[in-house]
Every structure is written in structure tokens, then in C-alpha cells.
Amino acid sequence: MISNQILQNTIDGLKGIAHVDLCVVDTDGGEVAATRPDFSLSAEAVREFVRSPADSQEVQGHQYFKIYDEQQLEYILVAAGSGESVYMIGKMVAYQIQGLLVAYKERFDKDNFIKNLLLDNLLLVDIYSRAKKLHIPADVKRATMIISAEKVRENNVLETVRLYCVGNGGDFVTEVDEDNVIVVKDVTEFKSAEDISASARELQEHLEGAGVKNVHIAIGTVISEIKEVSRSYKEAKMALDVGRIFFEEKAVISYSELGIGRLIYQLPIPLCKMFIKEIFGGRNPEEFDQETLSTIDKFFENNLNVSETSRQLFIHRNTLVYRLDKLQKSTGLDLRVFGDAITFKIALMVVRYMKYMERY
């Protein structure tokens, strides 16, 4: 159904072209939109026209036209005045509104289809039959993006993204909850995953430029069949959550970038607690002093290279070795040994995951 505001904007624009006042009423004679406030129409006259077999008729000095939505009478258009020219203008306006009804209905149907596709609510046979009916290609390369931001509804993020994607006929923009906006994006023209991420970064910058704060975009893998859209959506959802835990500094994160974080995210909390207890005993890794934590982060950042880490920390090599020895005594893990370093890194990630799950 077209909103009253859309109808109002449409007839205002058409009046500016044709210089004929217009009014749209419902089948009971109630005014929906009008180009002037004094369109005093008789509700009974409208109802009589509704009951008549005619699709257009001159009534009380005005031209009346019926507007249908799939054989169902939806609106009555009234063009002020009589004569052939007013009749022709009214006929064209009625045709324009009829076209809007069809376009908005198709958009509504497509939106419902995409939502059900994302939520995996359709049988396989229904997916392809409905896609064909809605003229949606089934074998296009697509990737699902989930956009998270502050005050999504208040900031009208959905419409902002829709306007941004205007012109990209293969993109579908929708929402399935109040917190996120979803883009099912046609990525046929993109040559690599980096091109898709770059496109997401441009969208993220556009939204922040429009005043939307704390914008994060998660991207699922590229799929080539429409039936796989729900899988790409689930991957994007995981990327959004895992990104919040392990990649806070990244505004755009892809499912393919999650690495071991993807595995940790699927672990049950009791198993995580058992693992941490085995690694650190009763000690909480957060109890390490800031100097130790900074040393660990920089050591991992430099791929366990002692010389490069000491150089970047502006400390003597022996000082770094002393800190690593001290950490080994307290945890039993020597970060200079690859196996111990992996264990320690995973343990820190598990701790961060548990903290996140406690908050949410």
C-alpha cells in the first residue's frame, strides 16, 4: 500500500505540471490527499460512483476516475473541472497512481520474500518459484551485509541505506529486527573479497557522514545461488558478534577474516572455564600488570620476534627476555616456544569471549 505522503507528493508534483487541482479519496469518500484544502466532495456522490459500472465519470463539475489494485478498487481520483483537457489529465494521473500501486506492491512483495529468504522460512521449491514470479535472478553472485549502528530506527538508517543503494538494481535492503539493517548485495562486478570490503567501507563512511554513530558492517561469504542467501546471512551475523569480541577496532569485518575467533565463539562457556582453569590455575589473566600485557601484545604483533619487539618497546633485549622468563614462571608457558604462544593467545581470546558473554 502506498503511504498517504507518497500520494500527496505525487499529486502535488503532477498539479505543478498540469495546473489542475487533484484529490484522492478512499472508496467511502474519505480524503486521502489533495492539492488544495477546500475540495468539498460529497461522500454520497463518491459512493454512488463506486457502485456504478463506469471507470470514469463527470460528477458535479469534476472528473472522477477509479484506480484499481489487481482488480480491487482502491482509490477514487477527482480532477477539478470538466471538459476534454481535464479528462485527459485526470486519465493520465490515474494511470500514474495505478503504476505506483503496482511498483510499491512489487517492492513490498520483494521485501517480504528477501526477509523470509534470510530467515530460512521458505521451502526450496518456493524459493525458485517466487524468485521467478518477482523477476529476481536466482544465479547471481551475492553477499549479505549486516549494518549495526546506534539508534538504527531513530536515525532512519534503513531509508538512508536504501537511498544509497538506488541505482544498484540487484541490491536488496531490508531489516528483520530493530537493531540492524541488511543488504543482500549483488557482487557480480566485484573482482575480489577486498573489493566487497571496500564497498562496505564506503557505505560505512557515508552513514557516519550522515550523522549515524558507531557504524559496523559484517559481511558473509559470496554465494552464487539464491537458496544460499540465508547461509551468507548467518555468517554475517557471526562475523558481527565475533567482530565485537575480537576485532573492536574494525568497522568492517568479513566472515573469512574471523580466524580462530570463529571457533572460540562456538565453544560452550563451561568448557571455556575449564580450559582457562587448566592454563592459568586460579589466576585471572587480567591480573597481569599493564607492562606485562603490553609486552605480550607487542610480542604477538611481531610474530614472536624478540629483537623487533624489544626495539619497538624501546627496551633492551635482555629486559624483554627477563619479562618473558617471569611470565613463564607464573604460567608455565614460554611465549618464545610456538606451541606455548598459541596456547596463551587462545587462552586470552577465550577470556575475552567469556567477558563478552557475561555482558550480553
Side-chain angles (χ1 to χ4, degrees), residues 32-52:
V32 175
T35 57
R36 72 182 193 209
D38 60 339
F39 243 109
S40 53
L41 300 176
S42 165
E44 183 55 38
V46 172
R47 287 193 286 268
E48 280 186 23
F49 176 62
V50 168
R51 290 191 292 267
S52 75

Side-chain angles (χ1 to χ4, degrees), residues 16 34 48 85 90 101 147 154 169 174-175 181 192 203 239 251 258 278 290 298 343 348 354:
E48 280 186 23
S85 61
L101 282 172
I147 303 162
E154 293 90 329
T174 189
E175 60 181 359
V181 171
S192 66
L203 174 55
L258 301 181
E278 289 173 357
Q290 189 57 46
K298 189 61 70 174
T343 301
L348 290 179
M354 290 194 300

Side-chain angles (χ1 to χ4, degrees), residues 10-24:
T10 300
I11 62 174
D12 282 342
L14 291 170
K15 179 198 171 179
I17 298 169
H19 306 292
V20 171
D21 278 304
L22 303 163
C23 181
V24 178

